[in-house]
């Protein structure tokens, strides 16, 4: 089999790249390890920056998003009993779009199907060969059969645990990492959201987040120790802890109900540099992870794909390798700023048992400052809605 670009991973990064390339007349094949149902069953991101929405429109996959998604002009930060709204639209010029990653992925799969694009599911043991040559190829097993794809370039879009980054010789990769001593327990419930907009809450006992997927579907998170398991958190316990972490007026408006999904995710900051080895290009979670507090993971995947698709299209249109040569530096410049913001939001709002009373006072002083300073709120707003591409 032959295609111009071999794409490993059928998450949002890989599918969006395939879609943009296809519209520019560039052939690709997507190799995904899991089933389509598994990929669509993962409940993850919910907040899209304007740049990500613009890219989805350009890719021709935003029709349902434009019909169904809500734009939020603000976001609230809660501290103990106080609730402070950050006016994103006034401070940063526009808000954010609430549209689940599951929906983005579904729209991308539908578009790939409509264009006859090849997405191979349950591709096992994907391996990269000759990435440091001009003629790389991929091998995998499909239903027990050995398969091979010859291509010009490989896009490693296979997430943090994928094979792409691990295929780069250790001596060619610098890794930067911070692992946080807690995780997020997330619950999806068929209940109306507790508030009109998102609420990020700092409470002495730990962080909580009120988010949503629609007017009848809510998504909530609470900070949990890494040792906790989902089985430790029956619904009653979750609702009780969540309401304790919220200001009284929000807790009073909270509508509880049975959870329809419940999972624990550890928090991590991670960057691999550079995002290229020969003809292998890393994009999205394959190259970097942010803690979800800033809502940046999916948005960084989108900006990587913006740079990578532009670079590949430039190459195929006129043999121009400038974009390919600049890809890693351009992507990383944006990645590091989102890493900084996500680390800052995480540091501000979570309980860090090991930083003690001094650390807690620092957080309180910073929140006091944020609530009182338009300049500080502008910094938050500018980063939250997304820095320009
Ligand atoms: P993905 O989505 O992990 O997709 C990678 C795909 O590659 C496949 N794969 C392989 N395929 C073939 N061979 C292999 N060896 C393979 N290994 C893996 C996997 O099955 C998968 O389908 O990476 P991608 O496409 O780069 O997309 C990144 C985003 O998924 C991620 O950054 C976000 O979900 C992060 N995130 C959030 N981002 C936001 O922008 N806003 C948010 O509000 C937000 N909230 C979140 C989040 C992530 C969370 N978790 C669970 C990590 C909330 C949570 C709780
Ligand atoms: C979500 O809705 O899942 C969500 C929203 C904002 C975040 C993280 C997750 O920062």
């Amino acid at each position: 089999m032959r295609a111009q670009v071999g794409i490993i991973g059928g998450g949002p990064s890989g599918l969006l790249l395939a879609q943009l390339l296809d519209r520019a007349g560039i052939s690709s094949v997507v190799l995904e390890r899991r089933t389509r149902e598994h990929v669509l069953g993962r409940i993850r991101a919910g907040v899209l920056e304007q740049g990500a929405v613009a890219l989805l429109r350009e890719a021709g996959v935003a029709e349902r998003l434009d019909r169904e998604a809500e734009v939020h002009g603000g976001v609230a930060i809660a501290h103990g009993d106080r609730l402070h709204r950050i006016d994103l639209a006034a401070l940063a010029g526009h808000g954010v779009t609430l549209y689940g990653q599951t929906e983005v992925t579904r729209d991308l799969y539908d578009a790939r199907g409509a264009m006859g694009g090849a997405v191979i599911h349950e591709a096992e043991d994907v391996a990269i060969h000759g990435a440091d040559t001009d003629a790389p190829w991929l091998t995998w097993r499909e239903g027990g059969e050995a398969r091979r794809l010859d291509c010009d370039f490989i896009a490693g879009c296979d997430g943090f645990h994928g094979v792409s980054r691990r295929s780069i010789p250790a001596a060619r990769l610098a890794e930067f990492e911070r692992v946080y001593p807690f995780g997020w327990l997330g619950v999806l419930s068929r209940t109306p959201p507790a508030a009109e907009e998102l609420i990020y809450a700092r409470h002495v006992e730990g962080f909580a987040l009120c988010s949503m997927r629609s007017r009848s579907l809510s998504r909530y998170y609470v900070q949990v120790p890494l040792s906790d398991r989902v089985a430790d958190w029956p619904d009653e316990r979750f609702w009780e802890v969540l309401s304790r972490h919220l200001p009284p007026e929000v807790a009073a408006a909270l509508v509880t109900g049975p959870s329809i999904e419940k999972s624990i995710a550890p928090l991590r900051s991670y960057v691999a540099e550079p995002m290229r080895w020969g003809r292998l290009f890393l994009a999205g979670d394959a190259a970097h992870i942010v803690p979800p507090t800033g809502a940046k993971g999916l948005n960084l995947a989108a900006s990587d794909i913006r740079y990578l698709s532009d670079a590949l299209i430039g190459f195929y249109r006129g043999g121009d390798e400038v974009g390919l040569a600049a890809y890693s530096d351009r992507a990383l410049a944006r990645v590091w700023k989102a890493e900084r913001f996500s680390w800052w939001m995480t540091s501000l709002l979570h309980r860090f048992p090991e930083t003690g009373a001094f650390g807690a006072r620092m957080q309180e002083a910073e929140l006091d400052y944020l609530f009182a300073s338009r300049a500080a709120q502008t910094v938050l707003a500018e980063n939250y809605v997304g820095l320009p591409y």
Side-chain angles (χ1 to χ4, degrees), residues 7-15 31-35 38-39 42-49 101 105 109 120 123-127 156-164 166 184 186 198 200 209 211 213 219 221 263-267 283-302 304 384:
I7 300 175
I8 309 176
S13 302
L15 293 170
L31 300 178
E32 166 58 48
R33 189 163 55 116
R34 315 299 293 249
T35 62
H38 179 93
V39 174
R42 292 188 297 225
I43 311 289
R44 288 182 167 183
V47 177
L48 294 177
E49 297 172 353
Q101 178 167 333
T105 311
Y109 269 132
I120 296 172
E124 292 168 49
D125 300 333
V126 173
C157 300
D158 49 353
F160 185 65
H161 300 287
V163 68
S164 301
R166 283 187 279 118
W184 279 17
L198 268 60
Y200 290 82
L209 168 61
S211 181
R213 291 292 175 273
R219 181 72 169 160
Y221 298 93
S263 50
I264 294 181
L267 266 64
D285 279 15
H288 41 73
I289 295 289
V290 285
T293 327
K296 290 286 166 253
L298 178 58
N299 291 299
L300 280 181
D304 285 357
Y384 191 79

Side-chain angles (χ1 to χ4, degrees), residues 238-360:
F238 178 82
W239 293 119
E240 194 254 313
V241 169
L242 175 66
S243 40
R244 215 167 56 223
H245 289 193
L246 300 172
E249 78 255 40
V250 181
L254 187 66
V255 181
T256 64
S259 64
I260 52 179
E261 196 268 355
K262 198 186 278 169
S263 50
I264 294 181
L267 266 64
R268 179 196 304 272
S269 297
Y270 173 90
V271 181
E273 288 185 356
M275 288 167 60
R276 172 187 189 175
W277 179 54
R279 291 201 161 212
L280 167 64
F281 293 84
L282 302 179
D285 279 15
H288 41 73
I289 295 289
V290 285
T293 327
K296 290 286 166 253
L298 178 58
N299 291 299
L300 280 181
S303 55
D304 285 357
I305 296 304
R306 153 101 283 160
Y307 301 137
L308 185 54
S309 59
D310 282 354
L312 288 166
I313 292 167
F315 176 84
Y316 283 110
R317 290 243 166 97
D320 174 5
E321 293 203 32
V322 176
L324 291 173
Y327 167 68
S328 177
D329 286 347
R330 285 180 77 191
L332 284 167
R334 192 167 191 282
V335 165
W336 275 114
K337 293 186 195 90
E339 289 283 347
R340 186 207 68 81
F341 177 67
S342 306
W343 159 83
W344 175 78
M345 280 279 277
T346 304
S347 309
L348 180 68
L349 297 169
H350 290 74
R351 192 171 96 84
F352 285 80
E354 77 283 11
T355 62
F358 182 81

